[in-house]
């Protein structure tokens, strides 16, 4: 029972801000289902054997209660909210981690042509990757938030379709050690089709030993777009966190996860080698103070360990 609680519910006591709990809770949906099956099998086995020892029964019932709490936290993400009202400006956003610039640019360009996103946000894509993709999509304007020569893993590239109008992108980079410092620079997109909406293009550090100390603080910085005082906003990119992380919920309070809004909150994007129903949903489009999601889909692009996320919204 205690092991099940530590694996499935560490976020309830903020243990999930540290390894290994930050990693296990990211897989809470699939681990909850697996634990539920295990509890059922053990209960059937005990019944067949006629085992009735009190200690075993208490442990089994306790574990079942832990599973029930975990399921209650997960299942609502499969239920769609009421659709947004008619009207408003339609906007399609594509988010995709290009995996150190190694993603297949030809397949990605085909995906962009097929889905026709107004804005594309590509973490781990610097100026080198931007130039390769831009050559295949001449109608799109593009920016990278890092200068030429900087490794792709450090950059975020943004593309804008002609329909997006006069949007602009600026790099967000605070002095090292300052409260707003991030390991990778972020970007903010404004203007054009977005109107009063500000779009944060972000890449939060991974849940690995050398970065875990910075990870909760970077998620907390998402409040610059998610707080009620921020105005209408979008947050797009690889957040390396799921709604099962307490630091994610704290930093994004005021934002809605587009996937959860349409009942697709368990559709995973990482690792791409796992089925989407088992993988962790760490890539996100978040909405705050106005924009609403209508449709969410994922797509595979070779060369990356992430899936692409395609979200259609109303501003």
């Amino acid at each position: 029972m205690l092991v099940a609680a530590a694996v499935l519910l560490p976020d309830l006591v903020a243990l999930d801000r540290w390894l290994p709990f930050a990693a296990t809770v990211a897989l809470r949906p699939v681990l909850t289902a697996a634990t539920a099956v295990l509890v059922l099998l053990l209960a059937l086995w005990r019944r067949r054997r006629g085992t009735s020892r009190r200690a075993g029964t208490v442990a089994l019932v306790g574990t079942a209660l832990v599973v029930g709490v975990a399921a209650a936290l997960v299942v609502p993400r499969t239920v769609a909210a009421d659709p947004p009202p008619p009207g408003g400006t339609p906007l399609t956003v594509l988010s995709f981690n290009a995996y150190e610039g190694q993603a297949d640019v030809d397949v990605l360009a085909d995906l962009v042509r097929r889905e026709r996103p107004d804005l594309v946000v590509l973490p781990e894509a610097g100026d080198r990757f931007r130039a390769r993709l831009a050559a295949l999509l001449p109608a799109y304007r593009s920016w990278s938030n890092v200068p030429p020569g900087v490794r792709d893993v450090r950059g975020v590239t943004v593309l804008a379709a002609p329909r997006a109008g006069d949007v602009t992108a600026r790099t967000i980079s605070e002095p090292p050690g300052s409260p707003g410092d991030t390991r990778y620079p972020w970007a903010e997109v404004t203007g054009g089709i977005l109107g009063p909406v500000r779009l944060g293009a972000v890449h939060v550090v991974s849940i690995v030993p050398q970065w875990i100390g910075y990870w909760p603080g970077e998620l907390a910085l998402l409040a610059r777009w998610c707080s009620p005082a921020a105005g209408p906003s979008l947050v797009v990119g690889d957040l390396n966190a799921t709604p099962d992380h307490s630091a994610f919920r704290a930093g994004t309070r005021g934002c809605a996860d587009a996937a959860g809004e349409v009942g697709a909150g368990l559709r995973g994007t990482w690792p791409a080698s796992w089925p989407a129903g088992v993988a962790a949903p760490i890539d996100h489009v978040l909405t705050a103070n106005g924009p609403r999601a209508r449709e969410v889909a994922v797509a595979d692009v070779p060369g990356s360990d992430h899936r692409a996320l395609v979200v259609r919204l109303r501003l």
Side-chain angles (χ1 to χ4, degrees):
M1 179 176 66
L2 293 178
V3 173
V7 171
L8 299 180
L9 303 174
D11 55 310
L12 300 188
V13 290
L15 280 176
D16 65 315
R17 292 172 177 256
W18 306 101
L19 292 170
F21 307 106
T24 58
V25 80
L27 298 173
R28 177 150 65 193
V30 65
L31 291 177
T32 298
T35 307
V37 171
L38 180 61
V39 167
L40 179 60
L41 292 176
L42 285 174
L44 292 173
W45 178 79
R46 285 169 58 83
R47 182 176 180 179
R48 185 173 182 179
R49 291 283 303 271
T51 303
S52 59
R53 285 196 295 180
R54 180 178 175 82
T57 300
V58 170
L60 198 61
V61 171
T63 303
L65 289 174
V66 170
V67 169
V69 173
L73 296 172
V74 167
V75 170
R77 292 174 224 157
T78 66
V79 181
D82 293 334
T89 302
L91 178 78
T92 300
V93 175
L94 188 154
S95 177
F96 175 61
N97 184 310
Y99 189 55
E100 302 180 3
Q102 297 182 39
D104 190 314
V105 289
D106 294 301
V107 174
L108 179 57
D110 287 341
L111 178 64
V112 170
R113 295 188 196 103
R114 183 171 69 251
E115 299 293 343
R116 301 172 65 185
D118 302 298
L119 296 170
V120 179
V121 174
L122 304 172
E124 296 198 27
D127 193 69
R128 182 191 69 91
F129 190 87
R130 180 207 63 78
R132 294 172 61 208
L133 185 60
L136 301 174
L137 298 169
Y140 279 74
R141 291 186 298 140
S142 60
W143 304 263
S144 173
N145 69 338
V146 294
V150 174
R151 292 183 303 147
D152 281 304
V153 68
R154 292 196 54 79
V156 175
T157 285
V158 175
L159 280 74
R163 181 177 175 273
D166 190 22
V167 297
T168 59
R170 70 178 182 91
T171 299
I172 300 174
S173 183
E174 303 290 341
S178 68
D181 181 26
T182 57
R183 302 312 97 188
Y184 304 119
W186 295 354
E188 186 172 75
V189 184
T190 54
I193 194 173
L194 291 171
V197 177
R198 296 182 301 129
L199 186 152
V202 306
H203 183 198
V204 174
V205 290
S206 305
I207 305 172
V208 293
Q210 63 266 37
W211 296 126
I212 190 69
Y214 298 104
W215 175 74
E218 292 201 0
L219 289 169
L221 294 177
L222 300 177
R224 71 175 70 190
W225 294 291
C226 289
S227 69
S233 306
L234 297 169
V235 178
V236 181
D238 176 6
L239 305 189
N240 273 308
T242 79
D244 291 304
H245 289 111
S246 59
F248 175 91
R249 296 194 299 270
T252 63
R253 188 173 293 116
C255 273
D257 191 344
E261 275 199 296
V262 302
L266 303 187
R267 196 172 296 170
T269 58
W270 181 91
S273 57
W274 292 12
V278 176
I282 64 173
D283 299 273
H284 299 271
V285 172
L286 308 179
T287 65
N289 307 313
R292 292 283 307 279
R294 294 189 300 119
E295 298 176 16
V296 174
V298 297
D300 291 301
V301 178
S304 176
D305 57 347
H306 288 246
R307 289 185 176 88
L309 187 65
V310 181
V311 179
R312 304 190 190 280
L313 309 111
R314 290 278 180 182
L315 301 181

